[in-house]
Amino acid sequence: MTTVDDASRPSRVAGPDEAISAEELQLAARNHGIPLEALRYDVTPAGLHYLLIHYDIPDVDPAAYALSVSGALDRPLRLDLAALRDRPRVTHRVTLECAGNGRALLRPRPVSQPWLVEAVGNAEWTGTPLAPLLREAGLSGDAVDVVFTGADHGVERGVEQDYQRALPVADALREEVLLAYEMNGAPLLPQHGAPLRLIVPGWYGMAHVKWLRDITVTTEPFDGYQNAVAYRLRRDADDPGVPVTRIEPRALVRPPGFPDFMSRTRVLRPGPCTLDGRAWSGHAPVTSVEVTTDGGGTWAPAVLDEPSGGEWAWRRWSVTWTATPGRYVLGARATDASGRTQPVEQPWNRGGFANNLVQRVEVVVPAQ
Amino acid sequence: MTTVDDASRPSRVAGPDEAISAEELQLAARNHGIPLEALRYDVTPAGLHYLLIHYDIPDVDPAAYALSVSGALDRPLRLDLAALRDRPRVTHRVTLECAGNGRALLRPRPVSQPWLVEAVGNAEWTGTPLAPLLREAGLSGDAVDVVFTGADHGVERGVEQDYQRALPVADALREEVLLAYEMNGAPLLPQHGAPLRLIVPGWYGMAHVKWLRDITVTTEPFDGYQNAVAYRLRRDADDPGVPVTRIEPRALVRPPGFPDFMSRTRVLRPGPCTLDGRAWSGHAPVTSVEVTTDGGGTWAPAVLDEPSGGEWAWRRWSVTWTATPGRYVLGARATDASGRTQPVEQPWNRGGFANNLVQRVEVVVPAQ
């Protein structure tokens, strides 16, 4: 008998010599990263921000839209877009990164969206803070989790579901958590969650529920798929693991010079140049960035620009380098105020989450 | 001695069992297709349109920008954006498709951007027609080609270059060829060629030069890399081949039901449903679309909607299907007024260009 399970298979890790599969390529053709040259923009323009969409982009009619807020609170609410826009309006510049960034570089490789290093973006999100809304609704004293449900529907590892993620109440009540209806000053694009999405500054992308249609407060821990099964750091399939939450520190180099079409190896003319890029962490402010031109053999300190756009946005860093003919491997390593830094040898987990191994940018400086 | 060649290797075809390489994945992470559910939109929203960027997105300052028009004409011109916007303004809705669409499905697989079927979009492009501008400049009677140069710079198969493509004069003078400064009613996004790009309705994407900075009329055929080497239909590396020009007919199915995250196999409830999608051709209007639910074994005619948006835009098609439990492979086949149609067995060429093999959409209809 044909069942939903015929569409879906368990999660797995690629074999030692297994190359990228057709299914992984299919995900890479849909979901895209930031082209690394777009690290030049303080605020990532529409269409260049990374995208990870679990199922399909749903077709939500903004005129018929209403957000439901219910569960363990005194006064359940339904808010249409006009009502949401009438509430206090704030804008936060926030770096979002996919929890699976770097997955395709792990050995062995967890088989899922095959990100290299580019699943990041830094946009301005405008909306209304969540915490006052929950308080006005009379949040119950015994509330435990706040469950956010999107309008996107699909199957994942055999489980049919609407995309749902919960935050512990304390995290949901952080003042910077937003119900966002604009990105970079324009209404949300369909692929970024139109008409409304959650923004949880500092957390990996899976928490920022798109096409948000329902908020339910629970008095028991939420055990839905995306919290209890998918986004966990596990050693193996039997390990219950720990939840994926905040973004580990990472710096990326904006590749200098110009690229070869196929290899993306950079060609850089000899002479002095500025190397720059961006650095971020969801745990604490970035306090230093170091740069290597020899693939991690030696490191030099970079200059961090003043923060622009608040504590949840990436920071530009730069360093002067005099390029002489030869071949180089550039990388950068961020450290944050919590003492976290980027590893040179990557710890591994079965989902390929929260990786922040140092990037490798191959550069050729021709003798001419 | 280190040279530019250290960044670049010759073109090649993958071995019989060679899976997707790290370099192909790297291109797939940058360049993206249209998520197939976005076939629902008549006009593809910003950020969902396919993108193929050979080198880096260049950083062009619109305030300092001027287009140079020179070569075999009486009065060379320099036009800033204000001057271009002061000229007659027209909007065309145009389907753009990458010439390499379908490449990664070919056996053997040409190694380049690994598109499956999704390298397409249908946007509204606003700008000023090229032909009157060339005529006002006093186009020479012995003009042969019109060369369009972008601001993007890179290396490709060992050849350092600005991206350049030429059109034969007769094609450059087609009234629908545009110098476009807006997409979907907004200024061009960086990744779509800001501040100015060429639009050549009916031709594959390589002709629509982005970040256009120079137009030069020549009295000899242009022999630059992208015309003479890259975009040609060749049997093998020694075949001089023929140029890639207009878009072959293609229809895509908007995948029904909902997807499995990893496999993208669709789950569709039993019962009557509408299957729909889009069809286009750069040679002539689409005259019919046929649909299969058994992977090409049998075909049924679809209904074509009235054209919306003129002769260069895709057309919606639809058909009613009563889904009963089982597994299906959906596809659609377009035929145009020139008699061209989509092959069931794909002819092969070494660059993997102009492929229009029928799509395969796997569907599970569960018994419930």
Side-chain angles (χ1 to χ4, degrees):
Chain A
M1 194 177 76
T2 314
T3 72
V4 169
D5 283 347
D6 289 323
S8 204
R9 284 181 291 281
S11 64
R12 71 184 187 90
V13 172
D17 298 318
E18 186 183 333
I20 296 293
S21 65
E23 290 191 349
E24 288 166 290
L25 176 61
Q26 191 169 232
L27 284 175
R30 277 180 65 78
N31 299 308
H32 66 86
I34 189 173
L36 294 177
E37 66 272 26
L39 293 170
R40 77 165 71 101
Y41 305 109
D42 262 350
V43 175
T44 309
L48 296 180
H49 195 287
Y50 97 89
L51 276 180
L52 189 286
I53 293 166
H54 280 241
Y55 313 127
D56 282 358
I57 300 167
D59 190 17
V60 182
D61 175 4
Y65 173 84
L67 173 69
S68 164
V69 185
S70 65
L73 39 73
D74 297 332
R75 290 171 293 279
L77 297 168
R78 278 183 74 80
L79 294 150
D80 64 14
L81 281 176
L84 288 160
R85 287 179 166 274
D86 279 346
R87 294 185 56 84
R89 172 185 172 96
V90 298
T91 297
H92 292 313
R93 196 177 289 186
V94 180
T95 297
L96 292 193
E97 183 177 8
C98 185
N101 203 10
R103 178 185 288 124
L105 297 171
L106 293 179
R107 295 292 174 272
R109 184 180 77 255
V111 175
S112 183
Q113 166 70 31
W115 293 122
L116 300 167
V117 298
E118 63 294 277
V120 68
N122 185 56
E124 290 194 329
W125 302 97
T126 298
T128 194
L130 174 64
L133 194 147
L134 290 177
R135 288 199 196 92
E136 290 167 36
L139 185 67
S140 169
D142 59 355
V144 171
D145 275 350
V146 183
V147 183
F148 301 90
T149 304
D152 44 335
H153 185 88
V155 190
E156 206 162 334
R157 316 301 185 191
V159 181
E160 186 179 337
Q161 58 193 286
D162 291 339
Y163 188 87
Q164 270 188 325
R165 280 276 310 181
L167 286 175
V169 162
D171 292 295
L173 291 177
R174 283 169 54 211
E175 66 175 346
E176 59 270 20
V177 173
L178 285 189
L179 303 174
Y181 43 73
E182 290 180 10
M183 176 186 180
N184 295 351
L188 292 186
L189 292 165
Q191 65 270 35
H192 286 295
L196 193 77
R197 73 176 298 172
L198 189 66
I199 293 291
V200 187
W203 284 49
Y204 281 114
M206 75 283 153
H208 306 241
V209 177
K210 296 190 283 285
W211 313 291
L212 180 63
R213 63 172 181 77
D214 187 276
I215 299 175
T216 301
V217 181
T218 66
T219 54
E220 299 290 337
F222 175 69
D223 64 354
Y225 179 86
Q226 300 296 343
N227 282 73
V229 180
Y231 286 101
R232 299 185 83 84
L233 303 173
R234 306 174 191 271
R235 290 181 305 277
D236 54 50
D238 297 327
D239 177 9
V242 298
V244 178
T245 59
R246 285 177 184 263
I247 298 173
E248 296 296 315
R250 190 195 286 271
L252 287 179
V253 177
R254 181 168 70 95
F258 55 85
D260 175 65
F261 168 69
M262 190 69 221
S263 70
R264 309 315 289 180
T265 297
R266 313 297 299 191
V267 178
L268 180 66
R269 302 290 176 215
C273 71
T274 299
L275 297 179
D276 67 5
R278 306 282 171 176
W280 61 92
S281 168
H283 290 278
V286 171
T287 49
S288 70
V289 172
E290 299 160 285
V291 176
T292 180
T293 59
D294 58 6
T298 59
W299 296 88
V303 175
L304 269 177
D305 283 8
E306 288 302 303
S308 70
E311 64 183 306
W312 307 110
W314 63 24
R315 281 177 76 173
R316 182 174 176 273
W317 57 263
S318 63
V319 71
T320 300
W321 180 45
T322 300
T324 56
R327 299 197 64 143
Y328 301 89
V329 178
L330 312 186
R333 184 167 62 180
T335 300
D336 71 18
S338 76
R340 288 175 174 85
T341 190
Q342 292 184 246
V344 175
E345 295 198 23
Q346 182 62 57
W348 187 89
N349 65 81
R350 192 175 184 277
F353 295 120
N355 297 295
N356 59 344
L357 191 63
V358 171
Q359 174 195 22
R360 293 173 62 86
V361 178
E362 309 233 359
V363 176
V364 167
V365 180
Q368 59 177 24
Chain B
M1 195 177 76
T2 313
T3 72
V4 168
D5 284 347
D6 289 324
S8 203
R9 286 181 289 281
S11 66
R12 69 183 187 92
V13 172
D17 298 319
E18 186 183 334
I20 295 293
S21 64
E23 291 192 347
E24 288 165 290
L25 176 61
Q26 191 170 234
L27 284 175
R30 276 180 66 78
N31 298 308
H32 66 86
I34 188 172
L36 294 177
E37 66 272 28
L39 293 171
R40 78 165 70 102
Y41 304 109
D42 261 350
V43 175
T44 309
L48 296 180
H49 195 287
Y50 96 90
L51 277 181
L52 188 286
I53 293 165
H54 280 242
Y55 315 127
D56 282 357
I57 299 167
D59 190 17
V60 182
D61 176 4
Y65 173 84
L67 173 69
S68 164
V69 184
S70 65
L73 38 73
D74 297 332
R75 292 171 291 281
L77 298 168
R78 277 184 75 82
L79 294 150
D80 63 14
L81 280 176
L84 287 160
R85 286 179 167 274
D86 278 347
R87 295 185 55 84
R89 173 185 172 95
V90 297
T91 297
H92 292 313
R93 196 176 291 185
V94 179
T95 298
L96 292 193
E97 183 177 7
C98 184
N101 203 9
R103 178 185 288 123
L105 297 170
L106 292 178
R107 295 292 174 271
R109 182 181 79 254
V111 175
S112 183
Q113 165 71 32
W115 292 123
L116 299 167
V117 298
E118 64 292 278
V120 68
N122 185 58
E124 290 194 329
W125 302 96
T126 298
T128 193
L130 173 64
L133 194 148
L134 290 177
R135 288 201 194 91
E136 289 166 34
L139 185 67
S140 169
D142 59 355
V144 171
D145 275 350
V146 183
V147 183
F148 302 90
T149 304
D152 45 334
H153 186 87
V155 191
E156 206 163 332
R157 317 300 186 192
V159 182
E160 187 179 336
Q161 58 193 287
D162 292 338
Y163 189 87
Q164 271 189 323
R165 280 278 308 183
L167 286 175
V169 163
D171 291 296
L173 291 176
R174 285 169 52 212
E175 65 174 347
E176 60 270 20
V177 173
L178 285 190
L179 302 175
Y181 43 73
E182 290 180 10
M183 176 186 180
N184 295 351
L188 291 186
L189 292 165
Q191 66 269 35
H192 286 294
L196 193 78
R197 73 177 298 174
L198 190 66
I199 293 291
V200 188
W203 285 49
Y204 281 113
M206 77 281 152
H208 305 241
V209 177
K210 296 190 282 284
W211 313 292
L212 180 63
R213 63 171 181 78
D214 186 276
I215 299 175
T216 302
V217 180
T218 65
T219 55
E220 298 291 336
F222 176 70
D223 63 355
Y225 178 88
Q226 300 296 343
N227 281 73
V229 179
Y231 285 102
R232 300 185 80 86
L233 303 172
R234 306 174 192 270
R235 289 182 306 276
D236 54 51
D238 297 326
D239 177 9
V242 297
V244 177
T245 58
R246 286 177 183 262
I247 298 173
E248 296 295 316
R250 191 194 286 268
L252 286 179
V253 176
R254 181 167 69 96
F258 55 85
D260 175 65
F261 168 69
M262 190 68 222
S263 69
R264 309 315 288 181
T265 298
R266 313 297 300 192
V267 178
L268 180 65
R269 302 288 175 217
C273 71
T274 299
L275 297 179
D276 67 5
R278 305 282 170 174
W280 62 91
S281 168
H283 289 280
V286 170
T287 49
S288 71
V289 171
E290 300 161 284
V291 175
T292 181
T293 58
D294 58 5
T298 59
W299 297 88
V303 175
L304 270 177
D305 283 8
E306 287 302 303
S308 70
E311 64 184 305
W312 305 110
W314 62 24
R315 282 176 76 175
R316 181 175 176 273
W317 58 263
S318 65
V319 70
T320 300
W321 179 44
T322 299
T324 56
R327 298 197 63 142
Y328 302 88
V329 178
L330 313 186
R333 184 167 63 181
T335 300
D336 72 17
S338 76
R340 287 174 174 85
T341 190
Q342 291 183 248
V344 175
E345 295 197 25
Q346 183 62 56
W348 187 89
N349 64 81
R350 192 172 183 278
F353 295 121
N355 297 296
N356 59 343
L357 191 63
V358 170
Q359 174 194 22
R360 292 173 62 86
V361 178
E362 309 234 0
V363 177
V364 167
V365 180
Q368 57 180 26

